[in-house]
Amino acid sequence: MGQVKITVRKNGPLRVEDPDGLVELFDADGNKYDTVGKLAFSLCRCAASANRPFCDGSHNKIAFQAPDCVIKTV
Ligand code: FES
């Protein structure tokens, strides 16, 4: 089983990569999005996507500026 990797893209989405395509994604009501079998997808951080929670590239059109993320290690 491969390791899931989530990358915070600068001024862009959260990129989710799963070599096994097993990541499950649910909305606030517990409804499951069809992500099984997808090796990668991106989650919108800018709220401009017409396909939320997925990124559709709209962050580029609105010149989204994300706040800096500080990585804390444990
Ligand atoms: S982060 Fe890409 S559309 Fe919102």
Side-chain angles (χ1 to χ4, degrees), residues 12-13 44-47 49 55-59:
C44 179
R45 262 199 313 160
C46 74
S49 174
C55 171
D56 69 356
S58 293
H59 59 273

Side-chain angles (χ1 to χ4, degrees), residues 14-66:
L14 301 174
R15 184 72 174 165
V16 180
E17 298 171 278
D18 173 12
D20 300 314
L22 298 175
V23 168
E24 295 180 314
L25 178 66
F26 298 88
D27 69 12
D29 295 321
N31 300 304
K32 188 175 178 180
Y33 291 98
D34 183 19
T35 57
V36 175
K38 294 185 178 179
L39 303 182
F41 55 90
S42 296
L43 297 173
C44 179
R45 262 199 313 160
C46 74
S49 174
N51 190 32
R52 287 188 302 266
F54 302 101
C55 171
D56 69 356
S58 293
H59 59 273
N60 289 317
K61 294 179 195 158
I62 66 168
F64 175 61
Q65 295 291 306

